[in-house]
């Protein structure tokens, strides 16, 4: 079960410090591993760009746990192991006639990892992926399983748990009947029109993403995902806020083939093959990149975007691309969208970490008036003293972690810096 090995994250910018990387083949093995370890964390798809998933002790890889996907059609839920990837889950649900409410841009990420960090897709009325969690099992510090379901005390504090409460072994998610989505891409939208009509832009479809480098007079691309039966974009319009329909499949990154991306050109198909930006069978995006994201309250969206455009001389040279998405408010304590609708300002950077971190310090200072909350799984500079005032339940979460893990078995340098303030 154990393996001494040097491992790196997906982007290659972080080498895991763990002494041992273990691959438990059952929940029982995972329980034994947790109980016998002094320090332990779970390692998912390795798509975190910081050290949130690291530890000086043992890393537990969950992909070997029971991979059964169990649909409960009566309660409209599905139960999966924590290491299941969204692409695998989506394909199985679609084959049985069901769907999730949304997907992130990458289907390759693990369910537990995405939920624990409040990873999200886009859509004015779509909560992040963690909002679909109806129940979960967590292996706690002594190796026992703590089961909780929506409505239980502390459940809202446990879902986006940052790995600080234990290791999620199993989750139950809300599902719905399958649905069709058509995806269209528009190029070179007029920035002035987008800013003046931002609510109309993001309300144009079930999911809308804007891709930009923040410079110039145009937004590079708009990815419009329209759900069948909802108010849909008119077929093949000549313009979308100044943008024109892309004549071929596009990739968010300039100069990269769109063949690795999900079906576009307005051709309808299953949600599982359209809501993510990238196809499961291809390597997503570019591995030699870094990522950051800041979640801004919806009422500050336009002002925050104007601020980013003002900083383009500093930001654009380091960027591969930036994405703007919208996310509905939720009530999960450590979610960046706790109690507020918002937009995500996502940055895909060139792999120059010292230069990126210098720009992040500037960005966080400039975005501070907008109460920007960083994505937990991506690069940011803020520590616990800066983050605590942004989360009304921050202190309650620390108290919950202290109760469930009094010895700090699941803590690491990332949590000490960003949550516990050690």
């Amino acid at each position: 079960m154990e393996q001494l090995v040097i491992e790196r994250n997906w982007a290659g910018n972080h080498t895991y410090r763990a002494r041992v990387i273990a691959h438990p083949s059952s929940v029982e093995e995972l329980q034994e591993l947790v109980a016998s370890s002094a320090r332990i964390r779970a390692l998912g798809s390795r798509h975190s760009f910081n050290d949130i998933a690291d530890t000086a002790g043992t890393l537990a890889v969950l992909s070997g746990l029971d991979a059964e996907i169990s649909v409960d059609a009566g309660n409209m839920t599905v139960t999966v192991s924590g290491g299941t990837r969204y692409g695998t889950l989506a394909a199985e649900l679609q084959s049985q006639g069901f769907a999730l409410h949304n997907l992130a841009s990458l289907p390759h990420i693990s369910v537990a990892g995405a939920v624990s960090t409040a990873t999200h897709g886009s859509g004015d009325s779509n909560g992040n992926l963690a909002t679909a969690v109806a129940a979960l099992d967590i292996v706690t510090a002594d190796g026992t399983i703590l089961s909780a379901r929506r409505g239980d005390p502390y459940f809202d504090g446990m879902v986006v748990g940052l790995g600080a409460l234990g290791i999620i072994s199993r989750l139950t998610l809300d599902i719905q009947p399958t649905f069709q989505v058509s995806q269209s891409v528009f190029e070179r939208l007029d920035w002035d029109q987008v800013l003046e009509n931002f609510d109309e832009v993001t309300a144009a479809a079930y999911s809308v993403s804007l891709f930009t480098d923040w410079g110039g007079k145009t937004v590079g691309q708009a990815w419009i995902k329209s759900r069948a039966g909802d108010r849909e974009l008119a077929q093949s319009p000549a313009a979308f806020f100044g943008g024109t329909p892309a004549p071929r499949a596009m990739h968010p990154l300039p100069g990269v083939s769109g063949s690795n991306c999900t079906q576009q050109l307005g051709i309808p198909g299953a949600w599982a093959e359209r809501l993510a930006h990238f196809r499961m069978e291809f390597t997503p995006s570019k591995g030699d990149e870094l990522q950051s994201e800041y979640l801004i309250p919806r009422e500050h969206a336009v002002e925050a975007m104007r601020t980013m455009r003002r900083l383009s001389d500093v930001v654009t040279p380091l960027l591969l691309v930036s994405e703007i998405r919208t996310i509905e408010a939720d009530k999960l304590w450590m979610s960046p969208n706790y109690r507020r609708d918002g937009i995500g300002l996502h940055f895909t950077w060139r792999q120059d970490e010292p230069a990126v971190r210098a720009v992040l310090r500037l960005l966080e200072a400039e975005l501070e008036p907008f109460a920007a909350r960083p994505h937990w799984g991506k690069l940011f500079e803020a520590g616990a003293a800066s983050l605590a005032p942004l989360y009304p339940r921050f202190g309650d979460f620390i108290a919950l972690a202290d109760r469930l893990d009094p010895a700090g078995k699941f803590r690491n340098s990332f949590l000490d810096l960003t949550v516990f303030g050690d």
Side-chain angles (χ1 to χ4, degrees):
M1 184 174 69
E2 295 187 356
Q3 179 179 351
L4 290 171
V5 65
I6 296 175
E7 296 279 1
R8 305 183 82 183
N9 65 343
W10 177 81
N13 70 306
H14 178 74
T15 299
Y16 294 107
R17 297 182 291 271
R19 180 182 61 83
V20 172
I21 296 181
H23 296 75
S25 59
S26 67
V27 172
E28 291 75 20
E29 280 191 15
L30 175 62
Q31 291 178 263
E32 294 172 5
L33 181 67
V34 170
S36 62
S37 297
R39 294 273 179 164
I40 189 167
R41 298 282 288 176
L43 182 61
S45 58
R46 309 178 193 215
H47 201 261
S48 294
F49 293 80
N50 54 39
D51 57 348
I52 189 173
D54 205 358
T55 179
T58 298
L59 284 175
V61 178
L62 304 185
S63 56
L65 300 185
D66 181 8
E68 181 183 0
I69 297 172
S70 177
V71 172
D72 182 343
N75 289 313
M76 291 301 286
T77 60
V78 61
T79 300
V80 299
S81 68
T84 302
R85 295 184 181 233
Y86 270 98
T88 302
L89 172 59
E92 178 60 27
L93 286 176
Q94 173 59 25
S95 73
Q96 296 191 42
F98 299 102
L100 298 171
H101 80 287
N102 211 349
L103 293 171
S105 60
L106 303 179
H108 308 72
I109 57 179
S110 67
V111 176
V115 163
S116 295
T117 55
T119 295
H120 58 90
S122 190
D124 287 359
S125 300
N126 294 326
N128 66 49
L129 302 183
T131 61
V133 177
L136 75 171
D137 290 348
I138 299 179
V139 179
T140 56
D142 62 359
T144 60
I145 293 178
L146 172 62
S147 297
R149 60 182 53 253
R150 189 181 290 133
D152 287 350
Y154 306 109
F155 178 82
D156 291 338
M158 296 170 64
V159 178
V160 182
L162 312 179
L165 310 179
I167 295 179
I168 298 176
S169 59
R170 188 167 298 276
L171 305 98
T172 299
L173 309 176
D174 297 330
I175 58 176
Q176 58 186 273
T178 187
F179 55 92
Q180 296 274 296
V181 172
S182 60
Q183 179 171 229
S184 299
V185 176
F186 292 81
E187 300 181 275
R188 296 178 293 277
L189 285 70
D190 179 75
W191 256 121
D192 289 339
Q193 291 191 46
V194 168
L195 292 173
E196 290 169 8
N197 304 279
F198 185 67
D199 288 347
E200 293 179 47
V201 171
T202 63
Y206 187 74
S207 170
V208 175
S209 292
L210 304 178
F211 291 95
T212 181
D213 65 4
W214 298 108
K217 296 182 178 180
T218 60
V219 177
Q221 299 175 18
W223 287 42
I224 312 296
K225 302 174 191 279
S226 298
R227 176 171 171 158
D230 292 346
R231 183 171 68 87
E232 295 186 34
L233 205 61
Q235 290 295 315
S236 302
F240 180 72
F241 297 94
T244 56
R248 62 191 181 283
M250 302 297 292
H251 192 288
L253 297 180
V256 179
S257 169
S259 61
N260 290 2
C261 298
T262 49
Q263 178 67 58
Q264 300 165 28
L265 303 175
I267 300 170
W271 66 279
E273 300 167 357
R274 300 291 189 280
L275 287 182
H277 293 336
F278 299 99
R279 299 177 188 268
M280 183 67 175
E281 61 267 28
F282 290 102
T283 300
S285 195
K286 293 181 68 174
D288 55 344
E289 66 187 37
L290 303 172
Q291 292 184 13
S292 302
E293 187 174 30
Y294 296 95
L295 289 300
I296 311 289
R298 183 67 185 239
E299 61 267 26
H300 299 314
V302 171
E303 191 176 355
M305 289 186 287
R306 292 190 190 279
T307 297
M308 289 307 311
R309 294 194 69 208
R310 179 172 56 80
L311 298 173
S312 64
D313 287 350
V314 177
V315 172
T316 303
L318 272 176
L319 267 184
L320 291 172
V321 74
S322 190
E323 183 179 6
I324 304 164
R325 290 177 285 182
T326 61
I327 311 98
E328 187 180 47
D330 59 61
K331 58 181 182 177
L332 306 175
W333 295 359
M334 298 301 280
S335 164
N337 284 98
Y338 177 78
R339 298 298 185 189
R340 67 187 203 189
D341 294 332
I343 67 165
L345 302 179
H346 187 278
F347 304 88
T348 300
W349 305 105
R350 301 182 187 279
Q351 202 169 59
D352 183 347
E353 189 158 347
V356 167
R357 287 196 176 276
V359 169
L360 291 181
R361 288 190 285 274
L362 171 64
L363 285 187
E364 291 177 18
E366 293 287 338
L367 295 175
E368 183 179 6
F370 311 125
R373 297 170 178 168
H375 188 300
W376 292 106
K378 303 183 188 294
L379 293 180
F380 61 92
E381 291 290 290
S386 298
L387 294 172
L390 300 174
Y391 290 86
R393 305 299 299 270
F394 203 90
D396 293 332
F397 180 77
I398 291 175
L400 179 60
D402 287 342
R403 183 167 66 83
L404 294 181
D405 183 25
K409 178 174 290 194
F410 300 109
R411 297 188 187 184
N412 63 2
S413 58
F414 174 88
L415 292 175
D416 289 342
L417 175 65
T418 63
V419 178
F420 300 106
D422 294 349

